[in-house]
Amino acid sequence: MRRLLLPLVLLVPLLNGGTASAAAAETLLSQGKPATASSVEDATFPASLAFDGDTTTTRWASLEGSDPQWLQVDLGASRQLSRVKLTWEAAYGKTYRIQLSADGSTWTDAYSTSTGDGGVDEAAVTGTARYVRMYGTQRGTSYGYSLYEMQVYGEGGTGPAPGYQAENATLSQAFVDTKHAGYTGTGFVDYVNTTGGYIEWSVTAAAAGPHRLDFRYANNSATGNRPVAVTVNGANAASLTFPPTGAWTTWTTQAATVTLNAGANTVRATATGTDGGPNIDRLDVTPDTGGGGTSFVVAAAGDIAQQCTASSSSCIHPKTAALVQAMNPEFVITMGDNQYDDALISDFRNYYDKSWGAFKSKTRPSPGNHETYDPAGSLAGYKAYFGSIAYPNGKPYYSYDHGNWHFVALDSNDFGSTQLNWLKADLAANTKKCVAAYWHHPLYSSGEHGNQPVARATFQALYDARADLVLGGHDHHYERFGPQNANGGSDTQGIVSIIGGTGGASPYAIENVQPNSLKRLTDTYGVVKLNLGPDSFQTQLIGLDGSVKDSGPTYACH
């Protein structure tokens, strides 16, 4: 049934303090924009399919039999909104809300109903927001929620994050293409597979100072990361890696903070790898009010998916996945033992994928010892499931940047000289202020497995490079250490360590408390929430009930 739905209130307070303009032309704002969801039924029904322009064939579908669920779109800029159109599949929402947000964290209801009956709903909304979501609290069927399309309409004028389409830029050894869905303009730019190709934009800044550049991209390359050098007005400004997104139709963003002049500026993104750069949709430019960097949230856990599903009330990994969904992190890191018991590809698909698989495209994993038990070969199922996400450079260890942070994912099953030499070279080339690393076997632990001396040389290399944070798993408990050096001594210039083996595997006991251990929790499941600023960080453990079980102090980056 097609219905026009009146707003919950006639005027929602404008989230950016602006004024509504009823005379402006209405534009479809949401098609091809980045989308996230509380869950997916499986990998064939991602959130992006509800914003691809197809209202009859492709769709997003949530997990079955569970409330609440949500579907969210990032419009890329704050927009004045007029209506939201929902085209439901048979699995519709009976009770749901349309919510608006300026930052993706604080939400305002713009419409609600408890009498949804499927078909096509058109909800009139009034307000200004960058983020829009459908928040369902009661399903209309025994299944989940499923939308062929969610279309957000409003004014299409300029906002605080204007999009500079790549297809309108100056290109060298790159070309405009349209063969992959999800782009936001008339096409996207595909680099030629060689070093030196570039996309060059002319961008305008209202005032001189730091600005955030968000490059919207897709990368399904079998060779992994596509590195790009960014110059501003001819000067080197940033070196970015563009990790795989899981599909050429899965779009996400990679950011850099640079200094722009007032008025016109030239921004160039040059491929520095022999395989060229990623597919680029557009560049968004926003003033950076954080003084040279931005803050973001990362979710982290290890020891995750036992061989069970949400149909069992004692199954934990779907519950920790729900915590990740609630955090809505920039990305997810795993500290090994992603899938029990032997990490078969069939088990990854039947268990891990049904919960934490909802975040696969933005997960940056590391392997544990259980990934080595696969009868098909050590790490075989792990590699088959994660693909180039876990092997961006053909190795199970890799690094990447986000904001003012440099992240290093390591394979602690083989802390030999090859990986150690790579790590030292990687750290020597780092230009970011803050450094975090993660792997499975922690150097120090108060749990049943105890200390893992094999990690000492790796920890020392990170200490020498003035790294800030190390995360691990292996022992199935939570533990937070104060800053320490590789010998276990308290050291103000040392590394803060977290053990987050709380993702779903059965808990272990605390057996031998280590000297710098500040907090220990067992018989507690949860997800580590990393609150990462441009020059500082703070960590929390979020329990299954959504409450904060531990909160560390704020540390300045070295």
Side-chain angles (χ1 to χ4, degrees), residues 296-300 327 333 335 405 407 435-437 468-472 478-483 495-500 518-519 521 527-533 536-542 547-557:
F296 57 99
V297 170
V298 174
M327 287 183 198
I333 64 178
M335 291 88 78
W405 281 79
F407 295 87
V435 177
D468 303 285
L469 178 64
V470 163
L471 299 104
Y478 169 81
E479 189 164 11
R480 174 169 53 85
F481 290 83
I495 300 172
V496 174
S497 300
I498 302 288
I499 296 175
L518 302 180
K519 182 72 173 183
L521 294 171
V527 174
V528 177
K529 182 179 181 181
L530 306 178
N531 302 295
L532 306 179
S536 64
F537 65 98
Q538 190 266 342
T539 66
Q540 297 173 309
L541 178 69
I542 309 300
S547 66
V548 177
K549 302 300 182 183
D550 179 53
S551 186
T554 297
Y555 292 97
C557 294

Side-chain angles (χ1 to χ4, degrees), residues 226-308:
R226 295 288 182 96
V228 168
V230 178
T231 60
V232 174
N233 300 323
N236 292 330
S239 296
L240 296 178
T241 57
F242 289 81
T245 59
W248 290 116
T249 54
T250 299
W251 300 84
T252 188
T253 58
Q254 185 65 294
T257 300
V258 303
T259 299
L260 297 182
N261 299 327
N265 296 265
T266 299
V267 175
R268 178 181 289 189
T270 303
T272 57
T274 56
D275 293 317
N279 289 351
I280 298 289
D281 175 36
R282 71 171 190 267
L283 169 66
D284 291 330
V285 182
T286 52
D288 179 11
T289 58
T294 54
S295 299
F296 57 99
V297 170
V298 174
D303 308 275
I304 299 169
Q306 292 192 305
Q307 294 166 309
C308 60

Side-chain angles (χ1 to χ4, degrees), residues 296 333 400-408 410 423 426-427 430-439 458-472 479-486 489 491-499 518 530-539 552-558:
F296 57 99
I333 64 178
Y400 55 97
D401 295 334
H402 191 90
N404 208 23
W405 281 79
H406 183 65
F407 295 87
V408 186
L410 298 173
L423 172 64
D426 177 84
L427 293 171
N430 170 52
T431 61
K432 300 298 183 181
K433 181 177 180 63
C434 307
V435 177
Y438 55 98
W439 62 84
T458 297
F459 200 100
Q460 184 65 53
L462 288 159
Y463 177 88
D464 292 342
R466 299 177 62 79
D468 303 285
L469 178 64
V470 163
L471 299 104
E479 189 164 11
R480 174 169 53 85
F481 290 83
Q484 60 186 347
N485 56 41
D491 188 332
T492 58
Q493 296 301 308
I495 300 172
V496 174
S497 300
I498 302 288
I499 296 175
L518 302 180
L530 306 178
N531 302 295
L532 306 179
D535 53 13
S536 64
F537 65 98
Q538 190 266 342
T539 66
T554 297
Y555 292 97
C557 294
H558 299 321

Side-chain angles (χ1 to χ4, degrees), residues 131-496:
Y131 300 89
V132 181
R133 76 177 178 182
M134 183 285 299
Y135 189 87
T137 56
Q138 183 181 1
R139 291 163 287 119
T141 70
S142 61
Y143 300 107
Y145 296 81
S146 183
L147 281 165
Y148 284 117
E149 201 74 3
M150 175 173 166
Q151 296 167 300
V152 181
Y153 292 86
E155 295 181 18
T158 57
Y164 294 90
Q165 293 294 330
E167 66 270 24
N168 297 329
T170 300
L171 308 179
S172 175
Q173 298 186 89
F175 58 94
V176 178
D177 206 342
T178 58
K179 64 185 176 183
H180 301 304
Y183 52 86
T184 57
T186 59
F188 60 87
V189 170
D190 188 347
Y191 286 83
V192 174
N193 290 350
T194 187
T195 302
Y198 67 79
I199 307 171
E200 183 176 281
W201 294 268
S202 178
V203 305
T204 302
H211 285 69
R212 176 181 167 116
L213 307 182
D214 283 283
F215 298 87
R216 188 170 188 264
Y217 81 98
N219 177 16
N220 195 35
S221 170
T223 57
N225 281 330
R226 295 288 182 96
V228 168
V230 178
T231 60
V232 174
N233 300 323
N236 292 330
S239 296
L240 296 178
T241 57
F242 289 81
T245 59
W248 290 116
T249 54
T250 299
W251 300 84
T252 188
T253 58
Q254 185 65 294
T257 300
V258 303
T259 299
L260 297 182
N261 299 327
N265 296 265
T266 299
V267 175
R268 178 181 289 189
T270 303
T272 57
T274 56
D275 293 317
N279 289 351
I280 298 289
D281 175 36
R282 71 171 190 267
L283 169 66
D284 291 330
V285 182
T286 52
D288 179 11
T289 58
T294 54
S295 299
F296 57 99
V297 170
V298 174
D303 308 275
I304 299 169
Q306 292 192 305
Q307 294 166 309
C308 60
T309 66
S311 62
S312 170
S313 61
S314 63
C315 189
I316 301 300
H317 63 90
K319 300 176 183 179
T320 54
L323 298 177
V324 177
Q325 293 161 6
M327 287 183 198
N328 190 27
E330 283 290 307
F331 54 91
V332 177
I333 64 178
T334 68
M335 291 88 78
D337 283 4
N338 302 272
Q339 177 61 60
Y340 288 87
D341 283 325
D342 298 333
L344 307 178
I345 182 59
S346 58
D347 287 341
F348 266 107
R349 290 168 177 162
N350 291 332
Y351 306 112
Y352 181 97
D353 192 63
K354 302 300 183 184
S355 58
W356 284 63
F359 328 113
K360 182 178 177 181
S361 66
K362 64 177 182 179
T363 296
R364 307 290 179 257
S366 67
N369 53 291
H370 277 267
E371 274 79 25
T372 70
Y373 301 160
D374 189 343
S378 180
L379 307 186
Y382 171 79
K383 184 175 183 180
Y385 178 74
F386 284 111
S388 58
I389 294 173
Y391 284 73
N393 298 304
K395 303 290 185 181
Y397 48 87
Y398 55 96
S399 68
Y400 55 97
D401 295 334
H402 191 90
N404 208 23
W405 281 79
H406 183 65
F407 295 87
V408 186
L410 298 173
D411 176 12
S412 58
N413 296 297
D414 184 16
F415 268 157
S417 60
T418 299
Q419 185 174 192
L420 182 60
N421 290 336
W422 171 88
L423 172 64
K424 291 178 179 179
D426 177 84
L427 293 171
N430 170 52
T431 61
K432 300 298 183 181
K433 181 177 180 63
C434 307
V435 177
Y438 55 98
W439 62 84
H440 186 59
H441 302 85
L443 175 57
Y444 294 105
S445 170
S446 301
E448 293 183 19
H449 286 306
N451 299 342
Q452 304 291 314
V454 68
R456 191 181 309 278
T458 297
F459 200 100
Q460 184 65 53
L462 288 159
Y463 177 88
D464 292 342
R466 299 177 62 79
D468 303 285
L469 178 64
V470 163
L471 299 104
H474 199 42
D475 266 327
H476 302 176
H477 72 275
Y478 169 81
E479 189 164 11
R480 174 169 53 85
F481 290 83
Q484 60 186 347
N485 56 41
N487 295 320
S490 179
D491 188 332
T492 58
Q493 296 301 308
I495 300 172
V496 174

Side-chain angles (χ1 to χ4, degrees), residues 12-20 78 80 102 127-129:
V12 176
L14 299 185
L15 299 181
N16 70 346
T19 302
S78 184
Q80 181 66 42
T128 301

